[in-house]
Structure formats: C-alpha cells, structure tokens
Amino acid sequence: RSHTKTPYVIAVVCVCVCLQVEQVRLLDRFSNKSTNGTLYLTATHLIFVESGSNNSAAAAQEIWILHHHIASVEKLSLTTTGCPLVIQCRNFRVVHFVVQRERDCHDIYSSLLRLLRPVSYEELYAFSYNPKQNDQQREEGWQLIDLGAEFERMGVPCDQWQLTDVNRDYKVCETYPRDLYVPITASKPIIVGSSKFRSKGRFPVLTYFYQEKKAAVCRCSQPLSGFSARCLEDESMLQAISKANHNSRFVYVMDTRPKLNALANRAAGKGYENEDNYSNIHFQFVGIENIHVMRASLQKLLEVIGTRSLTMSDYLMGLESSGWLRHIKAIVDAAIFLTKAVTGEGASVLVHCSDGWDRTAQVCSLGALLMDPYYRTIKGFMVLIEKDWISFGHKFADRCDQLDGDPKEVSPVFTQFLECVWQVTEQFPQAFEFSEWFLLQIHEHVHSCQYGNFLGNNERQREDLQLRERTHSLWAFLMSEKENYMNPVYSPAYAESHPVLEPSTLPYHFKFWRNMYHQFDRSMHPRQSILKTILTLRENSRKTENTLHALENRLQQLGVTPVVTSDPPAPAPPTRDHCSLSNRNPLPPRPDSLILGAPISRKEAQQQEEEDEEEEVGEEATESTDTERTVEGSSGTESRKQSYGELEGTYNSELAKSEPAVVSLEFGVARMTC
Amino acid sequence: MEKQAGAGGAADGAGPNRKPRSPPSSGPAADESVDSPTGSHVEWCKQLIAATISSQISGSVPSDTISRDGKESYEGLAYQGESDPDALNRPVLRDRRHVQMDQDQVPLLPGESIQTVAKDMMYICPFSGLVTGTLTITDYKLYFTSLERESPFILDVNLGAISRLETISVPNHGENTRGLELVCKDMRSLRFAYKREEKQPEVADVVAKHGFPLSNNLPLFAFLYKEEFPVDGWKVYDPMAEYKRQGLPNESWTISKMNSSYEICDTYPSVLVIPTSIKEDDIKRVALFRAKHRIPVLSWIHPESQATIIRCSQPLVGPSDRRCKEDERFLQIIMDANAQSHKLTIFDARQSSVADTNKAKDGGYESESFYPNVELNFLEIPNIHVMRESLRKLKDVVYPTIDEAHWHSAVDQTHWLEYIRLLLAGAVRIADKLESGKTSVVVHCSDGWDRTTQLTSLAMLMLDSYYRTLRGFQVLVEKEWVSFGHKFAARVGHGDENHANSERSPLFLQFIDCVWQMTRQFPAAFEFNELFLITVLDHLYSCLFGTFLYNSEQERVDKQVQTKTVSLWSYINSQPEDFTNPFYVDYEHHVLYPLASSRHLELWTSYYARWNPCMRPQMPVHQTLKELLILRAELQRKVDELQREASSSHSLSSSEHTSSPTHTVGTPLHTTV
C-alpha cells in the first residue's frame, strides 16, 4: 500500500487527468461516516483520494473505479452541502459523492456519461492496458489454456467421438468454436441438416465426456419444431449420440426452460423435441427462468440489501421475494439432475435452452464441476470457463454490457454461475482448490474489460478483434498470483475419494453471498475470516518449521546431534537474512487483488487497528471493530534472548497479533486495476 | 375433533381416541391446541394406520437377532441413521470404558437401570419411514434398535428431553394399536406405534413415569448417576476467586457475606459484591424496594475505567410513584464509585409499554427526576411468553419437513432471529457504554433473572476475553445464570409433566444462540467450539448432570446438588480436546462488538435442524482443523525442545569459546542466526 501523494497516483496511471475536483465528500452507504478528498477523472479511471489525513502513517484511502465497471451515474438534486452523485458499478460497488459545486458535479457527470459508453471494442481498456510484458510472455499467457488438450484429457477423440472440421470457417454455426466434437456416426450431412433445424445453427455437440461410463454431455439450442415440424437429420443426430453410449438405451434431453416458455416458443416456430419423433429420448423440463427474470431478480435483491437500516423481517422477506436464491437453487438442481444421469445411470444427456448459450452454459459447466474434480482446481476452473462459456459463445459482450448496447440483453447469467459454484464450495470446503477470492476476482474482470478473454460474444468475433495479439490474458495474470487464490483447507485426497459431489438443496444451504454483493461495503465485512485465520495458521506452521530447521541447523553446526529429528517437508534452512526477510514480508504475498485480504503483515495490522480505533462507535455501535484495550499485547518480548530469543519473539507475536484486522477492499482493488 | 377422527379412522370406521397424557394445565396459559405440533392430527392417524397395516403384512424382526448383533451395532453406530447426532452429541457414551453392557446390549451409564423392554415397536421416522425394532426404556433414556435395515438403526433419546407425551389408539381388527408421540424440548418429535399387550406394562406409562420423575415422586436421574470423572466440575466456579480475578474487593467495592444464609434475597447467591460505603440497614431497605428483594449488585468491573455492570430487579415504584431514598443513594454510590463518569445508565430490558403496565401493578422503573444523572433506556425485548411462542413456531418450520418455497418468510414469521438481534444489540449497547462511555450500567427487567441475565452475560462475554475461554465460559454460566437464580427448573421444566406451564421459556437457549452468532462473527476469539454449545444445550434438558437443576443457589444447597450429582463441567473438562476451537487465538484485551444487523445473523440450522439427515455435514471440516492444530502443537513442541537444547549447548559453546580463543566454531553462528 502506498502512502500516496497525488502526483504519485498520476504517475502510476501514466495518463493525464482530464478533470480534478477538490473537496469532494464520499458518504458511506450504511453509516453516517464520510471522507473528504479529491476526485480525479482519467481516461480509464475515476479516482478518489482521501485528502491528507492528520495521521500521516495511515494510508490515505484511495478508490479507483474503472469506467467499464460503472453501470450507472445518477445526479441527485442539489442539497445544502453540495451536489450528490451516485455511481453504481457492475461489481456491486455503490459510491455516493457529494461535490461542493454543482458546476463541478455536472462536469464529472457529463464526462462520465461520455466515457461510460464505448461504442467500439477498440475503446475498451484491454487494448490500452499494458502490464509490462513482452510479446512472448503475452503469447505464453494465451497458450495457458488449450481446449484441445482438455478434450484429450476427457478421453476424446475416441472410438465413438471425433473432432469435426465442419465449422472450420464458422460456416455452419458462427457462434460456435471451430473445433467441435461429434459422434463418429454423425456424418456431415447429418450435422448440417441438424444445424438448420436448430436455433442459430447451434446443433448438438459434445461438451463433456464422462470417461468412466462413456456418457456424454452434449449441448445445443432449441429445435425449430414449431407445432409439428420434424427434421430427420436432427433425429439421426440424437440417435448417433445415443448410439455412442452403450451403457444406456436412451438419451436424456434436458430443456432447461420452464415448460410454459418452451410452449410459447412453439408459436414462433421454435420449441422442444417431441418424444414421439425421436427414438429413445427421455425429455425433461428443468424450469430455470430466462435472462429477463434473472436481471429483475438481481435488481430486486440489490434494492433490498442496499436499504440502509434493514429490519430482520424486511431482509428475510426481501431475500425471498427477490427470488434470487430460488433461481440459484434451480440451476443447482438442474446440475444435480445432469450429474446423477451421467454418473449414476451412465446415460448421455443433451442440454439446451432457447439459444443454448445462457442456461445451457450454466447447467453444463456446473454439472461438469460436480462430476469432475479437475474442474475444482484453479487451472481446471479456468479451463471450464474457457470451454463452456467463452468458446461456446456465451454472449459476454451483450450480457455484461461491454459496449453501449441493448439493455434488455444485459443479464447476470455468469454471476449466477459463479454464485452457484460458491454455494457448492460452502457445502464442500475441502473439495475446491480455489477460494472465494478467485471467484470474486474472476467476476471483477469479467466486467473490467481489462483482459481480452471475455471481450466479444463468440470465438469468431474474438479472432476478428485479434485479441490474442492486442490484449493480455486474464488466466496468465491469475496464474501468476495463484498463491492468493488457494483454498487452505483443500484436500486433494478428498477430491480423489469423492469425485462426484452431490450438494444438498435444502433452502438453508443457499445463503446470501455477502462477500460478493457487499464486497465494497466495509462495514459489512466479516470481523474475522476463517479463511484468513487458516492462512495465518498455515503461515505460522511454515515459519515454525523454518525456525525448527534453523535451530537444527545451528545445533549441527555446534556439533550437537539433535535428539528430535524433524520431518523433511520444509525447504532449505533459512539463514538470518531469510528469517528477517520473511518477518517483514510474510508469505503468501499479500494479494494486491481484492477481498478480505490474505494475512497481512504485522505492521499493516497495527495500522488497521489504529484506523479502527479512530472509527467512531456509532449509536448502534455496529461500525466499530475490535478495539484494543492495551496497545501492545503480551508477546513475551521481555524474555528475548540475544540470538534465539529473536526467533521466538517473532514466532509468538505473529501468533498473537497477526489476525485481528479487517482488510479494506478499496486498497486492493485500487492496486489491481491500475 | 370429530372431523379429524372421522378422517383418520376411515379405514375401519372407528375413530382413534386421542388422549393427552398430561393432566389439564395448571398454568394460566393453557393456550396450546390439542393438535400435534409436528403436523396435523389427521396425518398422524394416517401414519399410525399405515404402520399397523404394514406390520400385518411384513411381520417383524425376530427379537433374538438383536442380542446377537447388538454390540456390533453399537460400535458401528457412527454415521448411521437417526443415531448419528446422538453419537456426536453425547460423547459420554463414546467412552466405552464407562459403558456396561447388559444382556440386551443396551449401553448403560453407571447408575442407569433398565425399566422395560418392548419388542415389535414401530418407530415412524419422518425421514426414512417405518422401522420396527426393540425399544428399551431405562430410567435415563429411550433406546430403540432395529436390525431390519442394512445398517443397524439406533435411536437414543434421553428422557429429560421429552416435554410432552401423548397416546392415541386405533381399534383395528380386534387388536388395540397404540400410537405414542413424544414431543421433545430439543426440536424433534418422535412417533411410535405398537400393539397393546395385556401382560406387558404400558410403554407410555413407563415413559411417563421416568420421563417426568418429579411428577411421580421419583428422583431426577442426576441423583442416580454414578459416573466418576477425573476432573471435578463443581470446583470450576469459586465466586471469591472470580471476583479476585476482576480485581475485587477494592476501595469502592466489597465482597459481602450479608446474604450468606440467603436472608436478604433467597434467589441471590450467598456471595455478593456491593459498594463499601453502604450500611446494612440501608441495604435491607433497598431490598424491600426491589422486586423479589433482588438488590443492585455488581456483576463485572472494567479493569481500567472501573465502570461496572450492576444487575437487579425492577424498583417497586407502583402507580403512586413511590420513592426510596436508600435506593436513590445506592445508585448514587454506584455512580460515584466510577470516577471516570458522572452519569449512570440504566438499561431496562423490557418494552417501555410493558414497564408502564408493570408500574400499574406495583412494579415500575426508575424515574429520571428522582435519580439525578441517571439515564434510563428501554431495550424493548419481549417477555418469556413471546419467546416460548417464537420457538414453538420455529420448531414447526424446521421439523420434520421444510417448506422449500417459503423458507425465509417462514423463518421471518417466527421472529426468532429478530429477538436474537434485539438481545445482541442490547448487549452491544451495554458493552459499548462501559468500554467507550466508561459509564457504569445498571441492567434490570422485571425480576432480574431472565432478560437481565441474558444481557449481562452477553455483555460480559463481549468485554472480557476470559469468558471466551472454555473455563471462563463455564464460570460465566455458573455465575450469571446458575448462582444469580435464573429459574432453570421452571424455565426448562426438569422432570415435570406439565408441558403447558407458562413458566417454561427458552431463555438459556437464546443466550447460547447469541453466543453462537458471536462465534460466527469472530471464529478465532472463542476457545470452545459448536459441539460445546450443543452439548451444553443437550444437558440443559437431559437431567444427567446437576449443573442446571433447580431454581436458585439456596435450593441447590438444600438438595445437596454438589455432593449428590455430577457437574456437567466434570464431563466437559475431562475431555476438553473435543470442545476446543482449533482457530482460537487468545484475544486478550479485545472487546468484541458483534454486528447485530439482519445481514449478519443467521439461523443456527446445525442445532435447530440437526435431526434432518440432510443436515449432516457434508465433510468434517473440524477434522482438518484438528489436524492443523495438532501439527502446530507438534511443531511448537519441537521448537521448544530444540530451543532448550540449543540454549544449553550455546552456553556450552560460548564457554568453550572463552576458554580457547582459537576455536571458532561458535562464532560465525552469532551472525547467521
């Protein structure tokens, strides 16, 4: 964290400030607190810097808001204290500024409106973002995820499934990737015929292969069946999928929509498969609502939780009436159905919705996550998103409103997927290699347009934009700080013994994801996070091990054979330099990314406490965090001996002191997006 | 009733007779309906008829198999069927050194004896359907085993948990089929079906006799329990030691023996802390002015500011605004004892409207005009009857089935979380007044033994890290709850059949729930874990230990509880590793303010909904944590050992160094370490 003076901020951005407004007040959303500072507007960011606080040791608060994150700007009517400006972000940050002069407020407002709505992809941040990498590094970043290798991992191609080049030039389906896997028996005419009978040409293709039972998860869009239309090629396509699996006589066809929606689609010449026309299919509706319902539901949820003094009743009723958790449950239910069919019955499943890029992506990817422990690792989760979301053409540009587009196309479909994953991680804390921070970071960058991965609506568009040549890959960035996203209780042994997860869907297992929707509301953060505690514990163990080795080493050098022989896992015994280094800078390196913070160094913790002490205890006394009654704890320093005592001292004080701090997100995000 | 009977008995025309076993309520609030709280009466009858039909078709398990495999089934009990939570939550039984096996292989506690064994009982499990097996009734528990299924099915319920017992009978093909429903205090209801046999003693009678011993002139099981533990839990709380820990007595406060034979107040402990400068006569006058003679006494003193938490009952102001000079002076002295503040804050836990009603009935609250510099706040917490009703609704929500579509609204309608929020928010206000305001606080409600206790104990838990340790929490409970006369016997209804008694109320449960909410927000600040909290609640009802028996210290002394029963803390402290939170870091001198906002409170489903098989943890996280903890301890031990060794060899080497200057082995090490 930098104790930043203004010029430094600017230097970091390397972009000239378009606008600078002094004496802006930032109001806290849930308390009466406010901070004074200066607002800077650059070509990419809106930056708020707290003006020189009386305590120079404490870092001045900085808030960096990427223009792409801003969902809406609202200028409220003038008050006695100034002109209020409310900015809502797609990463669920809500900031409320009060600008003293209306003229300034208007300037900011109109500038933001101009900057807010890029009309061409080239205006997006990804094209100007430069993390100081050379071309080779960039290229390596893009090569991190290889979907061909992923299908190979699943065991495809094999004797029943093959790679087809039918879509090599995006001729058959322009929203699909080039490389597609289909049953051996599905000939080109069948594929082409089937694609003509499917909405947007999205014919059934393989997305996941469950090797153990040779069962396939396929995806497509709805058939253009209307009230009675048939297509022999499409029927043989499903027949081919069925035949590719000897374990089951039939294929499940999962229509993820509610039946009513599917029926309504029939009037428009679309619809669903008629069991009479297709041999050996079991047809099933799942009932996940469409993008418009989901958008409205999230809107409602955000309204409820944005209420300042929320009563218990309003909260619970609001949570229920928003329907958000019910929708999440519907998706998880569908994924469980899929998982049971594939892993339990060994049947192949064809999943579709209307166009096969929203609900289908949710269900297929979540289902695969439940079936295959690989997708629960950090790398595997990237692969999963790359495969089911990016390559199969989830319309990120439209759904996340990257360019000034149709607001009716915007919907939190991907956010829902991340939340479903989070809900499952809550039930199976040991099964996932990644922690909540990973999900939050991905969510952050889906909307940031800082990396090329999520730009555009499909693979073809991405190739046209030459993203691989002109932007950087998020996966490489996340991989480079993998340490920060590790789940400390992850147990690979558990993953091995429980390859298939079967989450419970009782209503109380679906919780409000506070760390997502309140990630920028400091007063809503947990006071102590278990995650952080475990990380600290881990860190302590690691240090103790080092100490142990250092001591053993010393004993050896003294010519004494240690009676206790330690287990070998620790790395080379550290010298004094190493020790002191790690004291100053404990591992894992503090994520300069967001959320709740990894274990932070003692100095920072202290700072934090000082800050917290400054915080007023409000009328409800809910804002304040732990106040320390005595400033210096008893860390056994008086028994400090000349040489060994030092090690002991640091060890003990780390144990006693390194946790009690709440880490603010603002700082983290600020560093991250610059 | 008519209609229900008709519907239920449709199978053979004769309606079942529903017969509540308990006599009509003697309490004033007999407002509970006859309907079973766990579902409609009709449904219960249908279940019963289904049970009789199935028993005719399938027959039942030969009883001799039970004795053959009984022992094995007990060993294989973990994570099987209904028995699992019991196995988890009653580790008394886990320690098999103490378990005697009798001929029927029912694990018995020392002092426990079998009363009757009923074969061919059908347990109507709400989750897995009908199970036929053998029911053993001892003077402590019901023990139901069945070998009908692949895995042995065991249901183990202590009789103390039973709140109410009902039988119904369905005449069926000449045989008299009975239904037995046990409504439990721990959120479940058990239903059995069986055929009445003339020679056998009626099962329901045996259960009633031993389930409600006090109503049948029998002793509570705690007086029969003969277990011996290596640790004596009765020694956990010594009031003198606890007050000494707080720094008492000091110049303003004295430890008084005035109540040593409970003559001032029969519901207070014998040891009280009162201001030094107050005369005994004045105290007696104050006692007359306070409800139940519960005078203001010190509960806790801030180690730095000397601000205090004082507890008492309501003043007997009455409609005519009576005054008591001694009481006014008493509060003035309390204020003066704290040099940091010239104010005194009174928190009246009640709703202000209720306090006004009380005033009309000779109770009331302190008038700010008679008590100078006193600020009176109402915390607006409803009374015990409201809380009881709230828990009753909550039980309907979580047991046995859960309405998936309306979960949140159903939870909302119980208001349970709202009351939890009120308690926590009130306690935070008290703690903050002391910590930040450095002002002494007087807490009372009506009698000063329910809400007052909840609030003072929670505030102390926030302010004093000692109470967040395993031992300290026991001291807190012994002090604020047990010794200050929270009426456990009346609120829980130990051994008493009168389930509709309006004195019953889940106040201690609410307190534990609040503690759990705090542990959720501060996972590293408490030495004990969730299992500890659940175990405490289980034994609040079980009557296995003497800790929570009776209403006051005086009664406990009379009944010689400490010599004739075992303390719950003996059991807990004999195996503390089971109840230790692996995340615990000593947060000495930290004041914890939990967030009492709607977004941060959640329903404690792992307690309230623990009987639901879906509630079993999907994976034992605590196992991982325990391993981490062990690893840390192990490493630390090694470090300690090595350090000891190193320091001894260091002195050795340095002495070598001085003796022979050319010897340079030790020297470079000083620079590297």
Side-chain angles (χ1 to χ4, degrees), chain B residues 482-493:
Chain B
V482 177
S483 85
F484 273 102
H486 171 70
K487 302 201 291 173
F488 278 107
R491 296 290 174 255
V492 176

Side-chain angles (χ1 to χ4, degrees), chain B residues 418-477:
Chain B
E418 177 59 23
Y419 300 141
I420 296 290
R421 195 187 69 75
L422 274 175
L423 279 172
L424 276 173
V428 167
R429 280 180 70 181
I430 294 170
D432 184 51
K433 202 62 162 178
L434 256 88
E435 184 64 33
S436 314
K438 296 185 164 60
T439 303
S440 292
V441 168
V442 174
V443 186
H444 70 72
C445 48
S446 297
D447 290 325
W449 51 40
D450 291 320
R451 283 164 283 189
T452 302
T453 310
Q454 291 177 319
L455 290 166
T456 55
S457 53
L458 283 172
M460 287 158 75
L461 199 65
M462 292 168 193
L463 289 164
D464 192 334
S465 60
Y466 172 68
Y467 297 127
R468 302 193 285 260
T469 64
L470 191 61
R471 278 293 179 119
F473 188 78
Q474 297 168 10
V475 168
L476 182 70
V477 170

Side-chain angles (χ1 to χ4, degrees), chain A residues 147 167 170 173-180 199-200 202 205 207 219-221 291 353-362 383-400 409 413-414 453-462:
Chain A
L147 289 183
N167 201 37
Y170 302 110
C173 173
E174 60 169 7
T175 60
Y176 264 174
R178 283 177 201 273
D179 295 339
L180 294 168
S199 180
K200 307 280 195 305
R202 295 169 70 93
V205 292
T207 175
R219 55 184 290 171
C220 61
S221 59
I291 59 166
C353 47
S354 296
D355 289 326
W357 50 40
D358 292 315
R359 288 166 273 199
T360 303
Q362 289 176 328
V383 169
L384 185 66
I385 292 175
E386 190 72 40
K387 174 169 73 73
D388 271 319
W389 291 87
I390 298 175
S391 86
F392 276 113
H394 172 68
K395 303 202 291 175
F396 278 106
D398 290 355
R399 296 290 177 260
C400 303
E409 284 284 312
V413 176
F414 188 71
N453 307 59
F454 300 106
L455 302 191
N457 282 326
N458 51 57
E459 195 176 283
R460 180 182 185 172
Q461 210 175 1
R462 271 175 220 115

